[in-house]
Amino acid sequence: MRAVPREVVLTLPPSEEAPATDGPALTAAVAAALAVTPESLGAVRLRRLSFDARRRERRWRLVVDVWLQGETVPPAPPTTPPTLARPPATAPHVVIVGSGPAGLFCALDALAAGLRVTVLERGRDVQARRHALAALNRGQAVDPDSNYCFGEGGAGTYSDGKLYTRSGRKETIRAVLETLVAHGAPPEILASWRPHVGSNRLPRVVEALRETIRRADGEVRFGARVEEIVTDGGVVCGVRVRDLDRDVVETIAADAVVLATGHSARDAIAMAARAGARLDAKGFSMGVRIEHPQPWLDQRQYGGLRGACDLPAAFYELTSQIDGRGVYSFCMCPGGFVVPASTDPSRVVVNGMSLSRRDSPYANSGLVVQLEPSDWCGETGAAWGWGDVAGPLPTTPDDDPLFGVHLQEALEARAAVAGGGGNRVPAQRADAFLSSTAAPDALPTSYRPGVTTTALADVLPPGMTSRLRSALREFDRRMPGYAGPEAQMLGVETRTSSPVRIARDPETLAGVGLAGLYPCGEGAGYAGGIVSAAIDGRRVAAALAASLLAPHGTARH
């Protein structure tokens, strides 16, 4: 019988209640659209839910898969974690450094393939991380090993849990989302046009992923900072790891090491280089966070409909080309908070997050400028003003592949000085930033450690300042009020992605110049966000299985 479903598209106006996404109400709507009785339908499943906020549209759009009675209906996605077989004691051993999405998904697939796995995480588990984050928000010094960036689940766990991505094929993205749902994420993410778990829900999902790994005899250790990749004749054979609770260093042997440490683990990049991995400078983006009242954004996007209708907190996406470089919104958080994302007590960094309800009175987004390695070299770098920020500039990117990291660190240090300590950050109203006039007092903000009124042009280099100003004027023409007196810019946003790529073979995914090392995820320069990092973790797991296991699943000797 027919296995391919019929597709029904429903367009519905906003109303007091959100549209039904399952149950009898959805079945009745689909039956009416097909001019059949509800009893003739075998199954109805929502595939896609979106809201068109364009002024002349403003409609819900539901894409629904439909099977008639008697037709074969595929099983629904699982809602409970899988049980993986335990690998044999003789199976090859893989050490995975980092328990973000790349590391966790790599571990799951490596175990499923029959490899033994140890996950080493320098930070704490998701519950213990809460204490470190609370201290940060009270203005206390950051714990360099456990913070918004480091710890179980990686940076995404407590910085929003957005699952929107353009990276990967639909089926690979879907597989990642289904795994998250099986571990407790809300099933709505499978159909949402802007899937989002929220920083209050994602920790429970991460805990469930950890338990799936442990049930398959995978080891997950916290407070375990890897300090050296051990090699023998140019081949990785293990790691040296410091137990931060006991201050003891031990060596763990491994047949392969996956480096999945996230974009803020700068010491891990340097560690890979010391071991013999090749580093390449890559493009990334830096700028500020911009914050608006959420009611202003709702009014702008929905024309007053949100007060009477059940609509999600409004969001936006903005992008422009200014002087040959992109300037764009990044990691937009409706109903969210700006949070302190530093990993060093002498620097400050901002990021954004939302809870699942997205009910903060503020909306925030990164507002960042695209940078390419040539932008910080020689005369071009001098024209941007990088020499005044980070000292002598390289002539070419190959002269210092880590110079993008130096720029991040220099801006973060400048921002810390301008903020005045206690994790406070420099802030300025957007209209004052544009006019270059004396900065009025800072506005109220969701950023809990507090802000210090600052002329941000004194913190940012001229090349970034001029491009941000031009983009703000353009965005304000598109969204009147975007750069108005209710908008506030907080600095600095430097951790959009890694400025370095650890080179790997495009076929085997092994590190160039260092056999047995598998660079993976955001920190290695191969992903940007939770879902794309998870996809890369799965790709690396498949490469590990192909390399370490014989065709019939037994270890190669």
Side-chain angles (χ1 to χ4, degrees), residues 472-518:
L472 275 170
R473 292 187 181 98
E474 181 177 330
F475 296 161
D476 194 69
R477 287 192 293 270
R478 297 189 212 168
M479 295 180 64
Y482 187 84
E486 291 187 284
Q488 180 157 260
M489 302 164 65
L490 299 83
V492 287
E493 171 102 4
T494 56
R495 311 285 182 90
T496 60
S497 63
S498 175
V500 181
R501 178 172 287 118
I502 304 174
R504 69 186 188 190
D505 182 276
E507 298 298 326
T508 68
L509 306 189
V512 173
L514 190 57
L517 178 71
Y518 288 79

Side-chain angles (χ1 to χ4, degrees), residues 158-204:
Y158 288 108
S159 56
D160 204 66
K162 279 189 291 295
L163 303 174
Y164 178 68
T165 182
R166 293 186 177 93
S167 300
R169 299 188 304 274
K170 287 183 179 180
E171 56 269 26
T172 60
I173 295 170
R174 174 82 179 193
V176 168
L177 298 183
E178 288 186 357
T179 298
L180 295 175
V181 169
H183 288 84
E188 297 83 51
I189 66 172
L190 298 176
S192 173
W193 83 115
R194 306 286 295 189
H196 170 254
V197 178
S199 294
N200 54 325
R201 289 182 174 180
L202 196 54
R204 294 193 294 273

Side-chain angles (χ1 to χ4, degrees), residues 37-344:
T37 64
E39 293 74 21
S40 67
L41 303 181
V44 172
R45 289 181 190 164
L46 181 67
R47 187 201 312 163
R48 185 79 167 168
L49 171 69
S50 59
F51 185 81
D52 190 339
R54 289 177 295 177
R55 184 173 301 179
R56 296 185 180 181
E57 300 294 332
R58 289 179 176 149
R59 291 285 188 275
W60 289 103
R61 185 174 189 270
L62 290 76
V63 181
V64 186
D65 291 331
V66 184
W67 294 266
L68 299 180
Q69 287 287 353
E71 294 180 341
T72 301
V73 180
T79 55
T80 56
T83 298
L84 304 177
R86 297 176 178 179
T90 56
H93 180 221
V94 176
V95 166
I96 299 173
V97 186
S99 70
L104 290 174
F105 275 76
C106 184
L108 288 172
D109 279 14
L111 285 164
L115 297 168
R116 292 185 298 123
V117 168
T118 297
V119 179
L120 301 175
E121 170 58 56
R122 69 193 298 170
R124 302 298 174 177
D125 65 75
V126 287
Q127 297 304 325
R129 281 180 78 185
R130 295 181 189 273
H131 302 294
L133 304 189
L136 267 174
N137 283 305
R138 290 194 298 268
Q140 297 177 18
V142 64
D143 179 344
D145 291 299
S146 194
N147 43 62
Y148 272 100
C149 294
F150 300 153
E152 186 178 18
T157 302
Y158 288 108
S159 56
D160 204 66
K162 279 189 291 295
L163 303 174
Y164 178 68
T165 182
R166 293 186 177 93
S167 300
R169 299 188 304 274
K170 287 183 179 180
E171 56 269 26
T172 60
I173 295 170
R174 174 82 179 193
V176 168
L177 298 183
E178 288 186 357
T179 298
L180 295 175
V181 169
H183 288 84
E188 297 83 51
I189 66 172
L190 298 176
S192 173
W193 83 115
R194 306 286 295 189
H196 170 254
V197 178
S199 294
N200 54 325
R201 289 182 174 180
L202 196 54
R204 294 193 294 273
V205 177
V206 171
E207 287 178 317
L209 290 166
R210 179 219 307 164
E211 291 311 307
T212 296
I213 293 169
R214 285 181 168 168
R215 284 198 306 273
D217 277 353
E219 185 178 7
V220 183
R221 292 175 53 181
F222 301 107
R225 185 176 65 215
V226 174
E227 298 184 335
E228 185 180 353
I229 298 169
V230 182
T231 63
D232 182 5
V235 178
V236 170
C237 57
V239 296
R240 288 198 177 92
V241 57
R242 183 178 299 275
D243 184 308
L244 297 177
D245 293 321
R246 298 181 295 139
D247 196 26
V248 172
V249 177
E250 63 179 299
T251 299
I252 300 177
D255 296 286
V257 172
V258 177
L259 199 61
T261 51
H263 60 49
S264 292
R266 295 157 175 167
D267 54 348
I269 296 172
M271 175 180 68
R274 289 195 305 271
R278 192 187 88 200
L279 304 184
D280 296 326
K282 63 176 281 292
F284 69 113
S285 300
M286 292 195 293
V288 297
R289 278 264 143 191
I290 187 166
E291 189 171 53
H292 299 85
Q294 184 66 45
W296 169 83
L297 183 58
D298 292 338
Q299 177 64 32
R300 175 62 186 78
Q301 300 294 71
Y302 294 146
L305 287 174
R306 195 178 183 207
C309 302
D310 187 354
L311 293 174
F315 70 94
Y316 61 82
E317 277 187 39
L318 293 168
T319 183
S320 180
Q321 283 285 319
I322 307 294
D323 297 332
R325 288 291 175 258
V327 183
Y328 57 96
S329 60
F330 171 80
C331 185
M332 198 270 142
C333 299
F337 302 84
V338 182
V339 298
S342 177
T343 53
D344 186 303

